[in-house]
Amino acid sequence: MRVISSIITEHNLWLVCLAAVVSLAGSIVTMRLLERALRADGLQRWGWLFQAACAGGSSVWCTHFIAILAYQPNAPVTFDPTLTVASLAVAIVGLALGFAIAATTRRTSTAIISGGVVGLTISLMHYVGMAAYHVSGIIGSSHAYVAASVMLSLVLAITALATATQVERSFAAPVAALAFALAILSQHFTAMAALSVIPFASDPTNATVFETMAVAIGGVALLIVGTGVASQMIDSRARNETTRRLHHMALNDPLTGLPNRTSFAERLDRELARAEEEGHELAVIGIDLNRFKEINDFRGHSAGDQALRIIASRLTDCVKNGEFIARIGGDEFAALKDFRDEDVLLDFLGRLEIALFEPFEIDDFRAAAGASIGVAVYPQDGLTAETLIGNSDLAMYRAKSELNTAVCFYESRLDEVARERQMLARELRLALELQQFDLHFQVQISVTHATICGYEVLLRWYHPERGLIPPLDFIPIAEESGAILEIGEWVLREACRRAAAWQIPHRIAVNLSPVQFSQPELPRLVHEILVETGLPASRLELEITESTIIADKTRALHILRQIKALGVTIALDDFGTGYSSFDTLRSFPFDKIKLDRLFMNEVETNPQTKAIVRAVLALGKSLEVPILAEGVETDNQLALLRREGCDEAQGYLLGRPGPHEEILPYDDIFALFETELTTKAAQSA
Ligand code: C2E
Ligand code: MG
Ligand code: MG
């Protein structure tokens, strides 16, 4: 009652209200700044603590001064300037200390200690401020109220700090602010209730001056509070902006600004859930640019980037509400479209096609990327995101291989073959590591001398579930994926290593894929392997097909010449099928021509085939290049070859391809084999 009556009878109530507003506003800002400090770390934390201490100290000090100016002792009053300034310093330094303690750990004991320091600071500030306050009169003081004022500030400040440090709770800052404001106000007014003044003389003029001062202090206090609010606002804006930018970066492709793969996957999951719930269809569309690589290779990467940006912006322009398009890889895009009526989907695909096929101009050249588009539709082509993406890819690959259409819809019948290939391609990548490859050797003999001239090395893949997979089934896949480079290197190294250990130094013939000729370092690799395994270059023959030379003639011939210079011989495999161009024969001095096994199939029955075989053998004679006939299966074929002057032969009649262990005895039974062969040849002659 004493406190209330002191407020009502001895104070200017307007100024009391102003003091309350200042302390509450100041406390809210102080506690928010303290919360920010507790959430930050390092130098940032110290910055925020400094701000919190300044805002808190100023609030305590301003509240005190407005309230003291609201006090009407009806006696002349003066202020000691030094102590007045000192009281502000006490408030700021004391709170800085208290807040710093609160920031050290999250323990309750720490919060209580820091609250204690803050509570004592409020009281100390008050009494230092009161020491600066000189009234001309007899001043009485009640110790009980003084003690009560200190207790109140202690308890409420501890409550404030204990709540403020629980930053993860949403109510922490507002409750702490209320407790802090109450600590300041209750401390001050209880302490003031302790005071009794008997003035020496009455001085009524003081009142207006004091009011003006109080309002001025209130204004300054609110300015300080405003600064705190502003810095917090700037901080939270900056944080929101950074979060937004990081979010954008995580979900968008930096080059085109389109959503990226992650964003596409998220959106697909959501759209699938919606399609299931609402019972409509959803098209998953895979898009792969057709001629992007050309633009990139011939015009440079910056032109490639520009092309991607143009295409992306066209795609963005062509999508309507609810349609979604993303860039999911180098030149790969993906789109989503929900629909009930197929015409709606066809309209969307039409728009995509226009955007992708329309020519564009970059610098001084005009190009059109074009694209292959594959579509898989939920639910008929798959129920999960993974299946739908896989199936749209399969359809897209089919679109790539088809000449007259850019868009293909997934069809299980057609695309299963591709799926099988994809699976093999995946397994092929691991086959080398898992040691699933082996080499078979097939003998090549000299028809004229009836002697062994070498062995062709043939790759075998023992698949753990599918068993033996023939090379014609997996080599094209390995060529497509590029795995042939590693596999081919293994074949060459392994074949040379094994042959180097043979007692009889037969030659080996190793098949090379056209893809291996894309590596300019192929001659160096051959040389390295020869040195490493110790196989003389003259014992190695490399078999290439005509397609190697057709693919990139200048490059292939350059590489071939370098290899030949090492002393390695080069055979032209499978001659007679495919191009069979005289230009190929003219362009490089082959050491051997291998006549494809198709001719042996028919040589006995078809007079035309027989005529061609004769002509090829004659051609070999005049070019002085030995001819090897592949696929010799019967005695008659061998006899015919002998008659026509064929140099070498290879085929099931002479020996099937076999594992290394099985062909090794050939070295021992060589004599037997030779007599048998000679007898056979003599008989057929
Ligand atoms: P190619 O180089 O023309 O190899 C000869 C193929 O004819 C071998 O088939 C061989 O088993 C088969 N053959 C041999 N004699 C006869 C016969 O009398 N009758 C019949 N019908 N066939 C016979 P294979 O081993 O299945 O190899 C097929 C093709 O795979 C090879 O044709 C070659 O192009 C490729 N290839 C095999 N190994 C490798 C390799 O290590 N690297 C590369 N790049 N390709 C390889
Ligand atoms: Mg071959
Ligand atoms: Mg062949």
Side-chain angles (χ1 to χ4, degrees):
M1 291 310 290
R2 168 78 188 100
V3 173
I4 292 170
S5 86
S6 151
I7 291 173
I8 294 171
T9 59
E10 296 165 1
H11 286 79
N12 173 338
L13 284 180
W14 288 114
L15 293 187
V16 170
C17 289
L18 180 62
V21 168
V22 166
S23 91
L24 196 62
S27 300
I28 292 172
V29 171
T30 306
M31 288 302 141
R32 287 250 175 250
L33 290 169
L34 177 61
E35 182 195 3
R36 187 67 190 83
L38 296 178
R39 282 183 192 280
D41 46 27
L43 212 57
Q44 273 207 8
R45 168 174 281 187
W46 291 108
W48 288 111
L49 279 177
F50 174 74
Q51 280 221 20
C54 285
S58 313
S59 309
V60 174
W61 187 83
C62 290
T63 308
H64 169 86
F65 264 88
I66 296 167
I68 208 75
L69 292 171
Y71 185 60
Q72 295 163 329
N74 286 325
V77 169
T78 52
F79 290 91
D80 178 323
T82 317
L83 282 174
T84 306
V85 174
S87 65
L88 174 63
V90 165
I92 294 178
V93 173
L95 289 191
L97 183 66
F99 292 165
I101 294 172
T104 51
T105 60
R106 287 292 162 80
R107 262 179 272 149
T108 324
S109 53
T110 316
I112 292 172
I113 295 171
S114 70
V117 172
V118 169
L120 285 178
T121 302
I122 294 171
S123 291
L124 190 61
M125 186 269 130
H126 176 87
Y127 290 107
V128 175
M130 287 312 285
Y133 186 75
H134 299 307
V135 193
S136 108
I138 300 165
I139 297 170
S141 181
S142 152
H143 293 301
Y145 282 101
V146 172
S149 78
V150 176
M151 279 313 292
L152 273 168
S153 66
L154 270 177
V155 171
L156 285 163
I158 288 173
T159 312
L161 267 290
T163 323
T165 43
Q166 300 178 16
V167 278
E168 44 297 317
R169 308 223 167 153
S170 59
F171 62 80
V175 171
L178 189 66
F180 189 62
L182 283 177
I184 303 169
L185 292 168
S186 63
Q187 190 284 329
H188 180 87
F189 289 107
T190 313
M192 291 312 282
L195 216 61
S196 62
V197 179
I198 303 165
F200 295 138
S202 113
D203 183 15
T205 49
N206 271 354
T208 24
V209 179
F210 279 17
E211 257 173 53
T212 321
M213 264 180 71
V215 171
I217 293 174
V220 174
L222 292 178
L223 267 180
I224 294 171
V225 166
T227 317
V229 172
S231 65
Q232 266 188 305
M233 256 168 48
I234 294 168
D235 173 60
S236 85
R237 267 292 158 81
R239 268 192 302 161
N240 286 348
E241 178 62 20
T242 315
T243 319
R244 203 189 57 74
R245 207 159 331 126
L246 283 177
H247 188 74
H248 188 266
M249 266 163 65
L251 292 180
N252 288 76
D253 156 48
L255 179 68
T256 61
L258 281 180
N260 62 11
R261 185 184 283 277
T262 317
S263 180
F264 177 75
E266 277 177 14
R267 177 71 176 245
L268 177 55
D269 285 341
R270 262 185 288 140
E271 291 285 335
L272 274 178
R274 212 164 61 84
E276 189 182 12
E277 205 176 287
E278 297 175 11
H280 56 66
E281 294 178 277
L282 177 73
V284 177
I285 302 159
I287 302 166
D288 193 272
L289 301 184
N290 290 343
R291 278 182 298 282
F292 174 70
K293 204 175 158 334
E294 282 168 36
I295 299 176
N296 227 3
D297 289 354
F298 295 121
R299 304 280 171 173
H301 287 272
S302 92
D305 286 354
Q306 242 176 302
L308 284 174
R309 268 194 234 110
I310 294 172
I311 291 162
S313 95
R314 281 196 192 153
L315 288 172
T316 315
D317 290 345
C318 91
V319 297
K320 289 184 186 161
N321 223 356
E323 297 166 348
F324 183 78
I325 189 123
R327 179 176 174 224
I328 55 170
D331 62 347
E332 280 174 62
F333 297 83
L336 295 174
K337 169 80 187 162
D338 57 0
F339 64 99
R340 285 179 197 278
D341 180 0
E342 204 179 18
D343 286 345
V344 176
L345 173 62
L346 294 179
D347 168 65
F348 179 51
L349 291 171
R351 274 182 281 135
L352 288 181
E353 256 188 281
I354 293 173
L356 292 161
F357 278 83
E358 201 177 315
F360 48 78
E361 260 168 55
I362 299 175
D363 303 331
D364 57 339
F365 77 95
R366 203 173 142 82
S372 305
I373 304 174
V375 188
V377 177
Y378 168 88
Q380 61 262 34
D381 299 337
L383 297 176
T384 63
E386 203 186 1
T387 333
L388 286 163
I389 293 175
N391 288 348
S392 74
D393 275 352
L394 290 178
M396 194 244 305
Y397 292 136
R398 190 152 45 82
K400 237 186 204 337
S401 63
E402 272 179 31
L403 292 176
N404 50 2
T405 172
V407 184
C408 279
F409 283 77
Y410 172 74
E411 280 177 56
S412 57
R413 187 175 49 83
L414 296 176
D415 293 320
E416 265 336 291
V417 181
R419 185 193 303 285
E420 185 86 348
R421 278 174 81 91
Q422 270 190 351
M423 203 147 90
L424 274 186
R426 263 200 303 274
E427 292 172 335
L428 205 51
R429 251 173 261 138
L430 295 173
L432 204 55
E433 219 173 284
L434 300 175
Q435 302 186 330
Q436 292 170 351
F437 288 123
D438 193 17
L439 298 179
H440 276 196
F441 294 79
Q442 185 179 29
V443 71
Q444 299 178 330
I445 62 125
S446 153
V447 178
T448 35
H449 303 108
T451 51
I452 293 175
C453 27
Y455 290 91
E456 178 170 6
V457 180
L458 296 159
L459 182 59
R460 295 291 177 261
W461 180 14
Y462 293 96
H463 190 281
E465 282 132 40
R466 295 163 199 242
L468 184 76
I469 304 181
L472 288 177
D473 286 0
F474 70 84
I475 286 193
I477 298 175
E479 286 176 336
E480 219 168 75
S481 70
I484 192 70
L485 294 177
E486 233 183 304
I487 297 174
E489 186 179 332
W490 178 84
V491 171
L492 192 61
R493 180 170 282 116
E494 187 66 13
C496 292
R497 194 181 61 79
R498 291 194 192 176
W502 289 348
Q503 279 174 0
I504 302 180
H506 288 308
R507 186 191 61 208
I508 50 166
V510 178
N511 293 284
L512 283 192
S513 154
V515 178
Q516 290 176 275
F517 279 77
S518 63
Q519 304 291 94
E521 58 268 27
L522 182 65
R524 192 179 46 82
L525 179 74
V526 174
H527 179 66
E528 254 174 37
I529 290 177
L530 288 174
V531 172
E532 187 188 310
T533 56
L535 188 81
S538 58
R539 284 184 59 200
L540 178 64
E541 182 159 86
L542 296 177
E543 295 192 3
I544 64 155
T545 54
E546 237 179 323
S547 48
T548 306
I549 294 179
I550 305 287
D552 184 347
K553 192 167 167 178
T554 328
R555 178 203 281 260
L557 291 180
H558 179 65
I559 295 179
L560 278 177
R561 282 194 197 102
Q562 284 175 277
I563 296 178
K564 205 172 152 95
L566 297 173
V568 173
T569 53
I570 309 285
L572 182 62
D573 204 354
D574 300 343
F575 188 75
T577 57
Y579 308 98
S580 312
S581 131
F582 290 127
D583 185 48
T584 310
L585 296 180
R586 194 178 54 88
S587 55
F588 186 78
F590 288 101
D591 298 293
K592 184 183 288 176
I593 294 171
K594 293 185 77 179
L595 186 62
D596 194 82
R597 63 172 181 266
L598 276 179
F599 292 91
M600 282 307 109
N601 272 343
E602 294 181 2
V603 77
E604 290 169 290
T605 50
N606 187 329
Q608 273 88 0
T609 309
K610 194 170 171 179
I612 293 174
V613 171
R614 265 199 194 126
V616 172
L617 291 174
L619 186 68
K621 284 268 162 335
S622 37
L623 288 174
E624 294 181 21
V625 181
I627 307 280
L628 181 148
E630 293 187 281
V632 180
E633 294 182 357
T634 65
D635 293 340
N636 285 344
Q637 289 166 354
L638 183 65
L640 186 136
L641 290 172
R642 217 180 154 86
R643 271 203 307 278
E644 300 297 336
C646 180
D647 306 272
E648 295 177 18
Q650 172 181 354
Y652 291 167
L653 173 75
L654 309 157
R656 286 181 178 261
H660 193 232
E661 316 76 75
E662 282 175 27
I663 63 122
L664 274 183
Y666 273 174
D667 294 344
D668 305 328
I669 59 157
F670 176 57
L672 176 80
F673 177 70
E674 192 183 16
T675 26
E676 208 177 328
L677 202 70
T678 330
T679 333
K680 268 186 190 165
Q683 278 169 1
S684 27

